Amino acid sequence: EDKVVQSPLSLVVHEGDTVTLNCSYEVTNFRSLLWYKQEKKAPTFLFMLTSSGIEKKSGRLSSILDKKELFSILNITATQTGDSAVYLCAVGAAGNKLTFGGGTRVLVKP
Amino acid sequence: NAGVTQTPKFQVLKTGQSMTLQCAQDMNHNSMYWYRQDPGMGLRLIYYSASEGTTDKGEVPNGYNVSRLNKREFSLRLESAAPSQTSVYFCASSIQSGRVFNEQFFGPGTRLTVL
């Protein structure tokens, strides 16, 4: 059975702090790892990672994948209150199916 | 483009009642998905449709049926609702092309309560 585990479950930081979120996985027929941000409604896509060791960046967010150790991290630097959300990690397998982790809830205080 | 739309936004049912959740996408995607999200459990796949005319079970299909009406629309039916089906339901769509994996786009969700 495919499994995706995210840690920590939740964290509280202050504006300007750096946050590191973890995602580990055990998936058959791995194709890619995706990160989504979920505020009050639908998850919105952040990154898709398919190759080990190549960092993807978008503004203050960055992510990297380690396919040997089966994990990914998502970093958020210089956090802002607008970064408060649940961050979801999902692993894509055959059939374009996604298996999601339980999410990490991030609260950024002013 | 509206992207992925879902109706209704909210619904309250009594145990044993039936209902259909509707989903439509206007992005010409061939694959569509239904997920449920419960607190602390992320999203779990109920059913998916890789292409028009095909449907397959996901992780938690019991108590649900689906219909891929055409390329745009994918509905989820609860024949006899149970309190355990209280959840937020998300529809998603993506382009699936051979071995290329593409991100899924999500609708706004339907919050369902079964009393």
Side-chain angles (χ1 to χ4, degrees):
Chain A
E1 184 183 323
D2 295 344
K3 195 159 69 166
V4 180
V5 178
Q6 293 185 244
S7 63
L9 252 57
S10 65
L11 70 162
V12 180
V13 298
H14 287 94
E15 274 191 316
D17 288 349
T18 293
V19 160
T20 298
L21 309 181
N22 303 294
C23 175
S24 63
Y25 62 91
E26 295 174 28
V27 173
T28 307
N29 296 320
F30 174 90
R31 301 273 286 277
S32 62
L33 186 142
L34 292 83
W35 285 96
Y36 284 85
K37 178 182 181 181
Q38 185 176 27
E39 296 173 87
K40 294 207 189 295
K41 292 186 180 177
T44 53
F45 174 74
L46 293 174
F47 295 111
M48 182 162 65
L49 303 154
T50 54
S51 301
S52 268
I54 298 174
E55 186 183 51
K56 290 220 171 174
K57 288 196 76 164
S58 176
R60 296 175 294 100
L61 277 67
S62 64
S63 184
I64 196 159
L65 172 67
D66 186 327
K67 288 169 74 172
K68 184 179 173 190
E69 299 297 330
L70 308 183
F71 79 91
S72 173
I73 60 171
L74 175 69
N75 280 318
I76 310 173
T77 58
T79 51
Q80 302 171 356
T81 54
D83 295 325
S84 295
V86 174
Y87 290 83
L88 297 168
C89 172
V91 176
N96 224 37
K97 291 191 291 181
L98 288 177
T99 299
F100 281 84
T104 295
R105 183 175 297 277
V106 175
L107 176 62
V108 181
K109 290 189 170 182
Chain B
N1 286 352
V4 181
T5 57
Q6 292 182 235
T7 55
K9 286 187 171 48
F10 302 94
Q11 183 72 48
V12 179
L13 293 177
K14 293 181 180 176
T15 296
Q17 287 185 316
S18 62
M19 80 160 295
T20 300
L21 281 65
Q22 307 285 355
C23 173
Q25 53 89 12
D26 62 2
M27 296 178 282
N28 203 33
H29 288 169
N30 55 342
S31 297
M32 298 184 73
Y33 312 82
W34 276 106
Y35 293 90
R36 60 178 289 174
Q37 186 174 35
D38 302 304
M41 297 196 71
L43 283 82
R44 291 183 293 169
L45 183 65
I46 305 171
Y47 270 94
Y48 68 104
S49 171
S51 61
E52 191 178 350
T54 69
T55 60
D56 284 288
K57 294 179 181 179
E59 183 186 350
V60 289
N62 291 346
Y64 305 95
N65 284 302
V66 290
S67 295
R68 182 74 182 267
L69 304 168
N70 47 55
K71 191 172 186 179
R72 291 186 63 247
E73 298 172 290
F74 188 37
S75 63
L76 178 72
R77 183 158 178 85
L78 287 70
E79 290 291 351
S80 178
S84 61
Q85 293 178 305
T86 294
S87 189
V88 180
Y89 291 85
F90 287 101
C91 177
S93 70
S94 71
I95 294 175
Q96 182 180 354
S97 174
R99 287 191 56 81
V100 175
F101 196 96
N102 295 295
E103 71 266 28
Q104 294 179 11
F105 295 83
F106 286 82
T110 295
R111 186 173 293 274
L112 175 67
T113 301
V114 183
L115 302 174

